[in-house]
Amino acid sequence: MKQGFRQSMAWLHTWVGLIPGWILYIVFLFGTAAFFQHEIDAWMRPELSSGSTVSTRALDAADTLLRQRGAGAESWRVSLPNARGGNGLAVSWRKPGQDRHERSEITLDPQSGRELAVRETRGGFFLYRMHFDLHYISVRWGRYTVCVAALAMLVAILSGVVTHKKIFTDFFQMRLGKGQRSWLDAHNATGVLALPFHVMITYTGLVTLLFTLMPWAISANFPTRDAFYEASAPSPDEREASGIPMPTVPLSRLVAAARHEWGGANPSYINIEHPGDAAATARLYPQRTDWSSGRREGLYLDAAQGSIIPLPTASRGGASLTREVMIDLHTGWFAGLGLRWLYFLSGLAGTAMCATGLALWCVKRRTKLPDPARPHFGFRLVERLNIGFIAGAPAGIAVYFLANRLLPVTLAERAEWEVNSLFIGWGAIFAWTLARTAKRAWVETLGAGAALFALVPLVNTLTTSRGLGESIRHGDWIIAGFDLTIAAIAAGLAYTAWKVLRHQPKAAPARRRREQVEAPA
């Protein structure tokens, strides 16, 4: 504590950035991919067309299918095509005695209404959930971990601005091939370039998980959390089945009512409770595709009559409205294509900021070791964790995409095996780093990641009819854009591996070598 304020902030920035740094890297990496989760969904379901409109013919086919195969079900659900791709017209139903995970589901072509055989996958949604759940067995503990890491990130950003008094000047001085100086320049550049984004995305992420961090306001005023949500977002009273048979109105009529109520906006999905009963209730939720779509409330309809069920009046305060704005800013669901790319590139800068900060910790301390060729256990542990996370996690994502194309379509629990493939690939690379020297491990793992990403567009071309060339010829820019982005990532990893391979560490100055030799044991 005898140090000055800036030196104290430097110590805080170093350690609060290192300890949760690997978690923050995962949060940024997977969260950045999640900005295009619907486009990733579209690529991982090549059997579906990229069209976003649903025809009346297809809605009628879905309606007929539900009435025939879903007769006697407790609920029906219809998921409509997303404007950004990723899903067709999916219908499902749940029979009495089944839980929500045991629904029967069929996907239809959104234009013709014919049934489609679509591979089972968790798509981009898994990447989205991974960035704040961490695929923990306990979702609660996964979110607690992310919350702690996000708080540390906020402290690291603010202390970093204080520590680097020339941070804005250094941003314009990217010195390559200068060892520690180059790592610091890269860390500064990626931090300052998107500094407003880093502050916004970290703070709004904390707001999104507000009640995970601070649940006491709810527990002090409400008997349960469900009671709080009912009070803050009221919905009509749940209606029990009356036992009086009455046909449910056609899906096309429900969709037309929603479009009329929302000024032409389409629903994203429809959920009907007690279909075929006089007390059937339909809940419709709107799609959000860009800024113009705005935030609309869900719509409740009497599914037997087709009339609107009014929502209870509730006055939402400024705090609730502010939280909604924060959540929108964090998720970027309102963003059009251009703004979504800005989010994505800023997320890549944040990912690089975490990676360069972690690498800088090792680069800076290696020169101070008594014998840099034989570092102590703690240094080796941090170094291997850096390689395993920074190079291993992207490689795991590439394996995830490759598994989507290479695993048999009829494989049992196929979606879970795609996820397992990600962690198997990541773990294998992590294990490989333990048997190699640091430089070899960096070069080989980065090179492996580059090769795996480069294989993704090639395997897509060999296994589907929607390869890069075909997609460009047919103007299918969702699939083509994905393949081109993956190719760019492969090139970036290959370039990084090449730079690490060519790097030759400079010898320490004579004075420093003499000090190290003369230093007492």
Side-chain angles (χ1 to χ4, degrees), residues 247-258:
T248 301
V249 299
L251 291 176
S252 56
R253 182 175 166 186
L254 296 177
V255 171

Side-chain angles (χ1 to χ4, degrees), residues 179 366-367 439 500-508:
R366 181 178 290 277
T367 58
K439 183 172 181 177
V500 174
L501 178 64
R502 287 178 56 89
H503 175 67
Q504 297 295 331
K506 295 181 179 179

Side-chain angles (χ1 to χ4, degrees), residues 145-165:
T145 304
V146 171
C147 284
V148 172
L151 283 171
M153 178 68 177
L154 198 59
V155 172
I157 291 173
L158 299 178
S159 59
V161 172
V162 174
T163 299
H164 300 291
K165 60 182 180 180

Side-chain angles (χ1 to χ4, degrees), residues 310-439:
L311 290 170
T313 56
S315 57
R316 290 188 297 170
S320 177
L321 295 173
T322 301
R323 182 169 179 267
E324 285 184 1
V325 172
M326 295 290 184
I327 292 173
D328 285 347
L329 283 172
H330 186 81
T331 58
W333 288 337
F334 63 88
L337 182 60
L339 185 56
R340 198 155 54 249
W341 268 107
L342 183 60
Y343 263 77
F344 179 78
L345 294 174
S346 299
L348 285 181
T351 307
M353 177 183 66
C354 293
T356 53
L358 290 168
L360 182 61
W361 191 94
C362 287
V363 171
K364 187 175 182 179
R365 280 156 184 78
R366 181 178 290 277
T367 58
K368 298 179 181 179
L369 293 173
D371 185 357
R374 294 180 177 83
H376 55 78
F377 172 77
F379 184 91
R380 294 200 309 273
L381 176 63
V382 172
E383 194 168 48
R384 288 308 185 275
L385 285 171
N386 280 350
I387 302 171
F389 276 87
I390 294 172
I397 294 176
V399 173
Y400 179 60
F401 295 144
L402 289 170
N404 176 262
R405 291 297 191 258
L406 297 176
L407 289 177
V409 176
T410 57
L411 179 67
E413 298 184 347
R414 186 181 188 280
E416 294 307 313
W417 274 109
E418 285 184 2
V419 175
N420 293 342
S421 298
L422 186 154
F423 290 103
I424 290 170
W426 186 357
I429 285 184
F430 218 134
W432 179 258
T433 66
L434 301 177
R436 314 296 284 171
T437 62
K439 183 172 181 177

